[in-house]
Amino acid sequence: MTNAPEIFHPSRVDFAVSAPRAFKALIGFDAAARDGLDPALVELVQIRASQLNGCAYCLHLHTADARKAGENQERLHMIQVWQDATHFFTPDEQAALALTEAITQITDGVPDDVYRRATDHFDDTELAQLIAVILTINTWNRIAVTTTKTPGTDERR
């Protein structure tokens, strides 16, 4: 037995049950956002945003999804430090990760150089889809963190 204080997590709302229309709308937006984008790129973006937001639930979910889709473990380990390990990621992936960080940590807007870099790698449609993916994962992260979703308890499995 340890002397660590017990952490009390009061029961939180089940967002899917308590706001079913909003939940279904978000699922629809999430699906639409992915349209036309490389699924591997989508997972990298979702993992990076989840790391930045401290969302263990979504991080567990998307790293598992990425592995199931064939992503290699070495790249998954390097996402958090991608700027120092660029050789693990394509220029498109690097641009997407930079944009993910800028949008997720949006305090002073998205810097012009980050946006311009993204436009060098994605056409207008792809860029709009990528922005939508970043917006959806940030929303999912905030729901999971707010409602204290437990990592490894994904209902889809």
Side-chain angles (χ1 to χ4, degrees), residues 31-131:
R34 298 164 184 258
D35 191 39
L37 292 178
D38 175 7
L41 178 72
V42 170
E43 292 303 331
L44 292 177
V45 163
Q46 292 177 322
I47 290 166
R48 185 63 186 130
S50 297
Q51 289 171 336
L52 293 168
N53 288 322
C55 184
Y57 178 82
C58 292
L59 186 58
H60 180 268
L61 177 81
H62 293 294
T63 54
D65 287 351
R67 282 192 307 273
K68 284 182 181 176
E71 184 61 73
N72 86 45
Q73 196 64 35
E74 189 171 39
R75 279 175 31 104
L76 292 176
H77 287 297
M78 301 309 288
I79 295 170
Q80 187 167 349
V81 292
W82 71 269
Q83 290 177 331
D84 296 323
T86 55
H87 61 285
F88 284 95
F89 303 98
T90 68
D92 287 0
E93 291 168 341
Q94 293 173 43
L97 291 167
L99 187 62
T100 299
E101 290 182 0
I103 292 173
T104 300
Q105 301 173 318
I106 196 163
T107 52
D108 296 320
V110 175
D112 289 339
D113 63 320
V114 171
Y115 192 86
R116 194 172 308 108
R117 181 179 182 185
T119 65
D120 289 343
H121 294 276
F122 302 98
D123 65 30
D124 286 353
T125 300
E126 294 167 329
L127 182 58
Q129 295 299 128
L130 179 58
I131 291 168

